[in-house]
Amino acid sequence: MKRFGKKILATIVAATMVIGMTACGAGSGTANTDSAKTDTASSDSGSKGNIKVGIINNDPNESGYRTANDKDLKAMFCAENGYDASFAYSLKNDEQITAAQKFIQDGVDYLLLSAADTSGWDSVLKDAQDAGIQVILFDRTIDASDSLYAASIVSDMDKEGEQAATWLKDQNLGEYNIIHLQGVMGSAAQQGRSGALDTLAKENGWKIVTQQTAEWNAEKAQQIVQSVIDSGEKFNVIYAENDDMAKGAVEALDKANISHGVGKDVVVMGFDCNKWALEELLAKNWNYDGQCNPFQAKYIDEVIKQLEAGQTPAEKTIIMEEKGFDATTITQEDVDNYGI
């Protein structure tokens, strides 16, 4: 959509909205703990002719994946590439929605969204549409009509989970006693990676020793695994929904002198393909790592260029290509090429 006339629409819509984000104005740095963190990536914010984008993402400190994702976006959406970009960060859906409302009020041309939760977005995306603002999803899907966004550049989280759970089944373990460490509940990544394991566990009679969210956090994961160890409950699989939680789990195993990796007592599985995690596979200390590709910025830029030219994006949904890596077959080349 061309940007002509959009500013007037945005002003009308914003005038009817209740905005609760006074601590999160563009360029304000770190807001209070009850609001999303917001900053401005452009070195020439507001310069005439630049495309104004509001980017809503999860906290860059959440994981190595998110750090790489944020870095990729900031490298692309800068003044040198013709953009004025403001970023808002939160792991909470309500704070992200408030940030979206603020960006609509500010009259951005494009709203880029990696949602903390799949639900609750219909109303604010309709507000964006009414204001003539194009919405582009990245990283994660949402439960909303595709008429409310221009395109989505996302990972297939269900496929990621299916690949990992199928790999686990193919190991033909004598028994399956699984510690399942979940990410932030309700996120697309958590739903996809949890759903596949839940399905195969039910179908094959696997025992889920514990299933708890560690919210992508290594320390919380370590505490969960330590509590299982202390209970004396038997387990032989760690299924962690990101690398950081797998790392925390392994710290608990090491503390208890429990062996892990290829041919050892406990199978360790993670996701995201941090370089250090793939190196753990190469050393056979871990068993499996599922890729989640964080480099979506160039695809988003291509979609925006098509929209700016008045074209319909060539693809409504772009699915990132992703792999799963096995410690028995991974190579140094894989580590170098796919580690983030």
Side-chain angles (χ1 to χ4, degrees):
M1 177 184 290
K2 293 182 179 179
R3 288 175 279 151
F4 179 74
K6 179 187 68 61
K7 302 294 184 182
I8 297 174
L9 280 171
T11 301
I12 294 172
V13 171
T16 66
M17 294 173 59
V18 178
I19 306 298
M21 194 176 169
T22 56
C24 302
S28 63
T30 302
N32 62 44
T33 56
D34 294 326
S35 301
K37 295 184 293 183
T38 309
D39 62 52
T40 301
S42 170
S43 60
D44 186 22
S45 182
S47 59
K48 293 181 180 179
N50 280 7
I51 299 170
K52 190 174 181 181
V53 297
I55 303 176
I56 299 173
N57 205 347
N58 293 261
D59 188 341
N61 297 314
E62 167 203 87
S63 63
Y65 167 87
R66 192 63 56 185
T67 301
N69 180 246
D70 182 57
K71 183 178 179 180
D72 183 52
L73 292 166
K74 285 185 173 176
M76 174 60 72
F77 296 104
C78 59
E80 290 77 11
N81 290 333
Y83 291 101
D84 291 322
S86 295
F87 292 73
Y89 304 102
S90 180
L91 291 171
K92 297 180 180 180
N93 218 47
D94 58 344
E95 292 179 359
Q96 286 192 338
I97 288 171
T98 300
Q101 292 170 334
K102 179 64 166 61
F103 285 143
I104 293 169
Q105 180 189 39
D106 289 344
V108 298
D109 301 306
Y110 295 90
L111 183 64
L112 313 185
L113 171 64
S114 177
D117 196 298
T118 58
S119 62
W121 286 98
D122 296 74
S123 179
V124 71
L125 296 192
K126 184 63 167 59
D127 289 340
Q129 189 175 72
D130 290 345
I133 296 168
Q134 295 275 23
V135 176
I136 299 172
L137 308 182
F138 67 94
D139 176 42
R140 297 174 172 181
T141 57
I142 58 173
D143 296 330
S145 169
D146 64 6
S147 65
L148 294 176
Y149 54 86
S152 62
I153 297 90
V154 294
S155 292
D156 188 337
M157 303 299 186
D158 290 341
K159 183 178 179 182
E160 287 179 9
E162 289 164 6
Q163 285 179 329
T166 299
W167 176 90
L168 181 57
K169 180 182 177 182
D170 290 344
Q171 300 315 294
N172 296 313
L173 304 179
E175 58 182 347
Y176 287 80
N177 300 298
I178 304 167
I179 293 178
H180 181 190
L181 301 170
Q182 297 173 291
V184 172
M185 302 303 291
S187 66
Q190 178 272 315
Q191 290 181 350
R193 296 168 191 174
S194 290
L197 181 63
D198 287 344
T199 297
L200 285 189
K202 184 176 181 179
E203 291 176 354
N204 294 280
W206 299 346
K207 181 178 180 180
I208 303 296
V209 174
T210 189
Q211 184 179 59
Q212 297 184 51
T213 177
E215 299 180 330
W216 312 123
N217 183 270
E219 184 177 352
K220 291 180 180 179
Q222 182 178 0
Q223 292 169 355
I224 292 169
V225 174
Q226 187 62 55
S227 69
V228 175
I229 293 170
D230 292 343
S231 75
E233 185 81 22
K234 183 171 63 174
F235 65 92
N236 65 336
V237 177
I238 301 286
Y239 183 99
E241 292 183 355
N242 82 340
D243 289 340
D244 289 86
M245 294 190 296
K247 182 179 181 180
V250 166
E251 289 175 357
L253 298 180
D254 288 341
K255 184 178 179 181
N257 293 316
I258 298 172
S259 68
H260 50 84
V262 178
K264 302 297 178 60
D265 293 332
V266 178
V267 171
V268 177
M269 303 174 64
F271 290 86
D272 287 352
C273 288
N274 286 279
K275 188 171 184 178
W276 54 263
L278 294 184
E279 287 170 346
E280 290 295 324
L281 262 72
L282 192 63
K284 295 183 169 50
N285 295 324
W286 292 18
N287 302 77
Y288 177 91
D289 207 36
Q291 185 186 23
C292 192
N293 191 336
F295 303 116
Q296 300 133 16
K298 68 177 182 179
Y299 300 99
I300 300 171
D301 177 61
E302 289 171 3
V303 167
I304 289 176
K305 284 181 167 58
Q306 292 169 12
L307 292 169
E308 287 292 295
Q311 302 169 357
T312 300
E315 297 179 83
K316 181 81 172 185
T317 301
I318 298 171
I319 303 295
M320 305 299 291
E321 292 186 7
E322 296 170 337
K323 299 175 178 287
F325 293 95
D326 184 316
T328 63
T329 57
I330 193 170
T331 65
Q332 183 63 54
E333 185 177 5
D334 290 329
V335 175
D336 295 339
N337 289 340
Y338 297 101
I340 58 174

